């Protein structure tokens, strides 16, 4: 990172000049996204030139964020600290290609294609790439990688694949999911997610290619694969912890007593085998959930809006999650109050 005459980093000097994230947690999607656009533009104008890899310095690292159902780029507004936006060799891209109702409900194939196109046009070959998705945004990431195919393995240096409250194993029908009104409102993408759950239960290949050999090969190339989910104490009503962390739904609610309760601290499951489905199976799902060596974190969000709170979207802020993501997973030391 570039230094000033007094030895401080350029990021430290200009941090205060960025437009602060608004305090109102109930802003509309449009307002949040506009605030985020202003912050990203201001950060871009203040970034020092990237370092030159030919001089033996590190290549640029692109971190791409994808929102979930009915979401918008602005959902990540309070998750992006100034220190991350102002690091010369880090470039933050917040997807705007799958915002709102229509673009998140026309199916995982369509939304994944839009994100794949964004990656191809925005992330240069040879760069490091990290991906983060919230909710169904994590499935959109998976769909995009599958559509890009194994060319992904040689195009970029794959660093981190991270999801927050993503229904990796699908969701099971419940009262809301079975109503005709729900099916009309949520359209194609919910049908895709319900189908994932049926395929997992019946040990059938998924039509999108999820859990298959190609996807496993792509995800195995990432340096780290991390999943986080809201714990059952307040539970994520939209995405239960068994599907976000890829656990056995019959045991996932039996959380170990030493895990923190309601304090917003991520707690890593160090022995996930106790909670894994089909311990003696050899199907694609088992290979996906166990052989890939996922890092799993339960997060006890003290809020009824745990699904949003895990990325500090909505009224709850989860600084410990933000700190874990940027400091440990991405590698930017920072303090998030």
């Amino acid at each position: 990172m570039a230094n000033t005459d007094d030895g401080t980093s350029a990021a430290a000097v200009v941090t205060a000049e960025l437009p602060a994230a608004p305090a109102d947690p109930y802003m509309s999607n449009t307002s949040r996204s506009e605030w985020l656009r202003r912050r990203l533009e201001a950060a871009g104008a203040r970034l020092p030139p990237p370092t030159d890899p030919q001089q033996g310095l590190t290549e640029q690292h692109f971190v791409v964020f994808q929102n979930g159902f009915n979401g918008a780029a602005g959902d990540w507004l309070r998750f992006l600290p100034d220190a991350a936006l102002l690091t010369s060799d880090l470039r933050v891209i917040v997807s705007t290609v799958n915002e709102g109702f229509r673009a998140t409900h026309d199916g995982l194939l369509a939304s994944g294609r839009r994100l794949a196109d964004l990656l191809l046009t925005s992330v240069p070959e040879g760069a490091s790439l990290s991906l983060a998705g919230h909710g169904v945004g994590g499935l959109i990431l998976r769909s995009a990688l599958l559509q890009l195919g194994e060319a992904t393995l040689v195009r970029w240096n794959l660093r981190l694949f991270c999801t927050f409250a993503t229904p990796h194993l699908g969701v099971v029908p419940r009262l809301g999911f079975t109503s005709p009104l729900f099916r009309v409102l949520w359209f194609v993408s919910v049908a895709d997610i319900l189908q994932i759950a049926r395929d997992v239960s019946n040990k059938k290949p998924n039509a999108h290619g999820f859990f298959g050999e190609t996807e496993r090969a792509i995800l195995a190339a990432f340096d780290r694969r991390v999943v986080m989910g809201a714990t059952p104490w307040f539970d994520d009503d939209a995405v239960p912890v068994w599907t976000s962390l890829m656990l056995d739904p019959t045991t996932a609610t039996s959380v170990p007593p030493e895990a923190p309760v309601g304090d917003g601290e991520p707690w890593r499951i160090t022995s996930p085998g106790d909670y894994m489905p089909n311990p003696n199976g050899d199907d694609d799902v088992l290979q996906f959930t166990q052989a890939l060596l996922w890092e799993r974190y339960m997060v006890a969000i003290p809020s009824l809006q745990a699904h949003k709170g895990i990325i500090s979207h909505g009224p709850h802020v989860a600084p410990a999650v933000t700190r874990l993501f940027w400091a440990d997973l991405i590698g930017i030391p920072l303090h998030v109050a």
Side-chain angles (χ1 to χ4, degrees):
M1 181 180 296
N3 288 336
T4 61
D5 293 338
D6 62 359
T8 60
S9 70
V13 173
V14 300
T15 291
E17 299 179 25
L18 289 185
D24 182 6
Y26 299 102
M27 295 175 68
S28 67
N29 280 357
T30 302
S31 297
R32 285 197 310 274
S33 294
E34 175 61 21
W35 270 94
L36 180 61
R37 182 190 64 78
R38 289 173 55 193
R39 281 177 55 78
L40 292 176
E41 285 186 355
R46 292 164 172 78
L47 277 174
T51 54
D52 186 356
Q54 295 181 354
Q55 297 178 1
L57 301 176
T58 58
E59 75 279 1
Q60 279 191 287
H61 182 186
F62 287 76
V63 184
V64 181
F65 293 87
Q66 175 59 61
N67 60 269
F69 268 153
N70 290 334
D75 293 356
W76 300 98
L77 180 60
R78 294 194 289 175
F79 195 80
L80 306 178
D82 293 349
L85 300 180
L86 293 165
T87 301
S88 62
D89 290 315
L90 185 74
R91 291 294 184 269
V92 173
I93 298 176
V94 185
S95 167
T96 59
V97 298
N98 290 306
E99 289 189 298
F101 180 87
R102 180 172 299 178
T104 55
H105 291 78
D106 58 357
L108 295 176
L109 187 65
S111 53
R113 181 69 259 168
R114 286 189 291 268
L115 181 62
D117 291 341
L118 175 67
L119 295 176
L120 290 174
T121 57
S122 302
V123 183
E125 291 190 47
S128 289
L129 175 64
S130 292
L131 301 173
H134 176 236
V136 172
L139 296 179
I140 295 175
L141 295 181
R142 291 173 60 185
S143 177
L145 290 173
L146 272 168
Q147 293 183 63
L148 290 169
E150 294 188 353
T152 307
L153 303 177
V154 297
R155 186 178 183 90
W156 300 300
N157 175 23
L158 302 177
R159 296 273 294 273
L160 170 70
F161 180 89
C162 181
T163 62
F164 304 87
T166 289
H168 286 292
L169 301 185
V171 290
V172 295
R174 52 181 181 170
L175 179 60
F177 284 95
T178 57
S179 70
L181 178 61
F182 186 93
R183 292 178 181 274
V184 170
L185 290 177
W186 289 70
F187 206 50
V188 179
S189 293
V190 160
D192 289 344
I193 301 170
L194 292 172
Q195 187 60 50
I196 291 172
R198 287 192 288 268
D199 294 339
V200 168
S201 177
N202 297 324
K203 296 187 178 182
K204 292 182 178 179
N206 179 258
H208 291 286
F210 289 155
F211 311 111
E213 184 176 348
T214 297
E215 185 182 28
R216 295 199 303 271
I218 295 171
L219 287 172
F222 282 86
D223 293 339
R224 298 177 74 174
R225 292 159 299 280
V226 179
V227 288
M228 302 191 198
T231 65
W233 291 291
F234 291 96
D235 210 356
D236 181 340
D237 186 57
V239 182
V241 69
W242 63 265
T243 184
S244 60
L245 301 185
M246 295 178 285
L247 304 173
D248 186 340
T250 64
T251 61
T253 54
S254 302
V255 181
E258 64 269 24
V261 180
D263 61 0
E265 285 287 337
W267 183 80
R268 185 172 179 181
I269 301 177
T270 56
S271 301
D274 296 338
Y275 303 93
M276 301 296 276
N278 307 317
N280 299 314
D282 59 355
D283 58 320
D284 283 348
V285 175
L286 182 65
Q287 290 294 314
F288 184 88
T289 57
Q290 294 195 37
L292 282 177
L293 301 178
W294 295 90
E295 298 175 43
R296 293 171 168 85
Y297 289 90
M298 291 184 175
V299 184
I301 300 294
S303 168
L304 295 178
Q305 298 190 32
H307 185 69
K308 295 181 178 180
I310 198 169
I311 61 166
S312 297
H313 168 41
H316 181 75
V317 178
V321 176
T322 304
R323 187 165 52 246
L324 171 67
F325 179 84
W326 290 107
D328 180 49
L329 304 183
I330 298 297
I332 300 177
L334 70 138
H335 171 72
V336 181

